[in-house]
Amino acid sequence: MALIGLAIKRRADQLVLERRYNALVYLQGTLMPSHKGRRLRPLIFAVVAFLTGCAQKGYWLVHPKGAIARTEWHTTILDAAVMGGVVLVAGGLVAAFLWRYRVGGKSRSYDPTFTASLVIEVLVWGVPLMIVGYLSYFSVKSVFATNPYNPLAVRRAVAREGHMNEAFTRRADPSGVNAIDPAAHPVRPLRVDVVTTDWQWVFIYPKQGIATVDELVVPVRTPVKFQLTSATVVNDFFIPELVGEIDIMPGMRTKQGMIASRTGTYHGYSDDFSGGGFSWMGFVTRVTSPERFKGWVRHVQGAKDRLTYARFTRVAQPTINLVDKIRHFSHVQTGLFDHVIEQVMEGRVYRTPLAMTESMTKPMKVRLIK
């Protein structure tokens, strides 16, 4: 599902790739106009695709900017490297056996008394068991490191950041009088409640008393604890550069945790098909400094629009919003997240107008919620 979602979102990169390919084909046709030159086009396309993937800064899966995403990426690389090595060795042995024991070759003579070989048994059973055990060890470590309800990778990142601050302070003050004690000055996590609709994202900051639509802003190097639910159907919360995907169920409470190591703007979206507006169900993730985050909170707290449950029911109506995606709300109703879950469990639905889905393939008039 992650790859399908990326394919949908990366159409622009595909167009760039096609233009580069056509340019190289033109050069190849100019320099090598023969039939042999045309045979090289598949190879040219493969080389361009590989180099484009390496050069594009927006190729999200290979540029992790958070502890969770980095752990998942390292585990993926390890699995791919080990399994790639297995495939190469197995393929090499098959090729060697085919060549050695080919018809007409100088193969060894047939031994009808051969029944067993300890060396072969060790290789056939021992090597696979060692590989499975090796991968299992790192898979278990990765599972605990990225566990949504208690990600060890986030805790380690917080501890590492605390030790870095302590070391920096001690370099500035060798006497150690003003040294920072990470245990005495823990980093306070930020709580964000996430509610998905058709087809928007509502982010609620309970402590700050604000909410946003299609915009998630968090401070850098600060643990973020998410509570997630859906007001409609199942969706997947996914920010490839920061945190892996997790299912969001209607009427249920799901948890996720992350920490961002660098400031910047990242792409987030739903990684599960949830109806006709799925392709537009994306949100902006901004990682800022703690000072800028406080300033942004003060700015949102001055918004005129307030988010009560009655207002939320209008926001949750199926909407294809392509223009004015980001909206801010101040004075969020207390307990709104829990109230949404209760209403869904009692049977509250938000029906999609039939005309909306029928016109998905036609030029659409964007309807904005006022």
Side-chain angles (χ1 to χ4, degrees):
M1 293 302 299
L3 296 178
I4 295 176
L6 286 174
I8 295 174
K9 303 292 181 181
R10 302 298 290 174
R11 177 55 183 165
D13 285 349
Q14 293 176 3
L15 295 177
V16 173
L17 178 61
E18 291 172 4
R19 288 196 294 269
R20 294 182 181 181
Y21 169 69
N22 292 333
L24 284 182
V25 168
Y26 172 78
L27 293 176
Q28 170 264 316
T30 303
L31 300 175
M32 303 176 62
S34 62
H35 294 287
K36 293 182 179 180
R38 286 193 292 271
R39 293 175 183 175
L40 294 177
R41 290 184 180 180
L43 178 61
I44 293 174
F45 182 80
V47 172
V48 173
F50 177 77
L51 295 179
T52 301
C54 294
Q56 289 292 329
K57 294 182 179 179
Y59 200 75
W60 304 326
L61 291 180
V62 298
H63 291 87
K65 300 298 190 302
I68 300 294
R70 189 177 299 108
T71 300
E72 293 178 343
W73 176 240
H74 289 171
T75 303
T76 301
I77 291 296
L78 177 65
D79 291 345
V82 172
M83 297 311 299
V86 171
V87 171
L88 290 177
V89 172
L93 290 176
V94 170
F97 292 155
L98 290 175
W99 176 258
R100 181 178 179 84
Y101 299 105
R102 70 190 185 280
V103 176
K106 298 180 180 180
S107 60
R108 295 182 180 273
S109 59
Y110 173 67
D111 183 5
T113 62
F114 177 81
T115 57
S117 171
L118 181 61
V119 175
I120 294 178
E121 293 292 334
V122 171
L123 292 176
V124 170
W125 293 103
V127 174
L129 286 175
M130 291 175 59
I131 294 175
V132 171
Y134 181 76
L135 292 178
S136 299
Y137 170 73
F138 286 100
S139 296
V140 171
K141 289 186 61 177
S142 177
V143 167
F144 282 99
T146 60
N147 174 24
Y149 284 68
N150 186 22
L152 295 180
V154 173
R155 295 168 56 185
R156 292 168 183 163
V158 172
R160 184 166 56 251
E161 185 67 23
H163 289 305
M164 291 175 60
N165 292 337
E166 182 183 12
F168 176 80
T169 306
R170 285 179 176 173
R171 284 198 300 270
D173 180 19
S175 63
V177 175
N178 299 319
I180 297 175
D181 183 4
H185 300 275
V187 179
R188 295 183 179 180
L190 172 69
R191 174 184 163 186
V192 181
D193 295 341
V194 183
V195 183
T196 67
T197 68
D198 288 340
W199 290 273
Q200 300 180 105
W201 296 84
V202 179
F203 299 100
I204 303 172
Y205 297 74
K207 183 178 179 180
Q208 290 74 19
I210 61 175
T212 64
V213 171
D214 289 340
E215 182 186 36
L216 173 64
V217 180
V218 298
V220 69
R221 293 187 289 274
T222 300
V224 182
K225 292 185 176 181
F226 294 104
Q227 288 193 119
L228 310 101
T229 192
S230 174
T232 53
V233 298
V234 177
N235 279 292
D236 276 7
F237 180 80
F238 191 23
I239 311 175
E241 292 173 282
L242 298 178
V243 66
E245 63 181 272
I246 188 170
D247 287 341
I248 306 176
M249 309 290 185
M252 296 180 62
R253 186 193 313 267
T254 306
K255 295 182 179 181
Q256 179 64 290
M258 78 169 194
I259 185 171
S261 57
R262 295 184 183 179
T263 59
T265 302
Y266 308 104
H267 300 273
Y269 57 91
S270 173
D271 195 37
D272 201 354
F273 293 111
S274 56
F278 159 77
S279 298
W280 293 274
M281 194 172 177
F283 61 91
V284 178
T285 303
R286 307 185 198 279
V287 180
T288 67
S289 64
E291 293 75 17
R292 287 181 176 269
F293 175 75
K294 293 178 181 178
W296 174 82
V297 170
R298 288 193 296 268
H299 171 71
V300 177
Q301 288 174 341
K304 296 180 180 179
D305 205 353
R306 301 187 177 190
L307 189 60
T308 62
Y309 181 72
R311 184 70 175 89
F312 173 82
T313 57
R314 284 185 286 162
V315 174
Q317 294 297 327
T319 306
I320 299 175
N321 189 350
L322 304 180
V323 180
D324 190 17
K325 290 180 65 66
I326 297 176
R327 282 171 289 161
H328 296 158
F329 301 91
S330 61
H331 301 87
V332 178
Q333 176 180 322
T334 304
L336 178 61
F337 181 83
D338 295 331
H339 190 58
V340 171
I341 295 178
E342 294 171 0
Q343 291 298 309
V344 173
M345 295 179 66
E346 291 177 4
R348 178 63 188 261
V349 296
Y350 302 88
R351 300 188 182 279
T352 304
L354 184 60
M356 179 180 291
T357 57
E358 287 179 344
S359 62
M360 285 294 178
T361 59
K362 303 176 182 178
M364 294 179 300
K365 295 181 180 180
V366 179
R367 179 174 68 86
L368 301 179
I369 296 179
K370 299 297 183 181

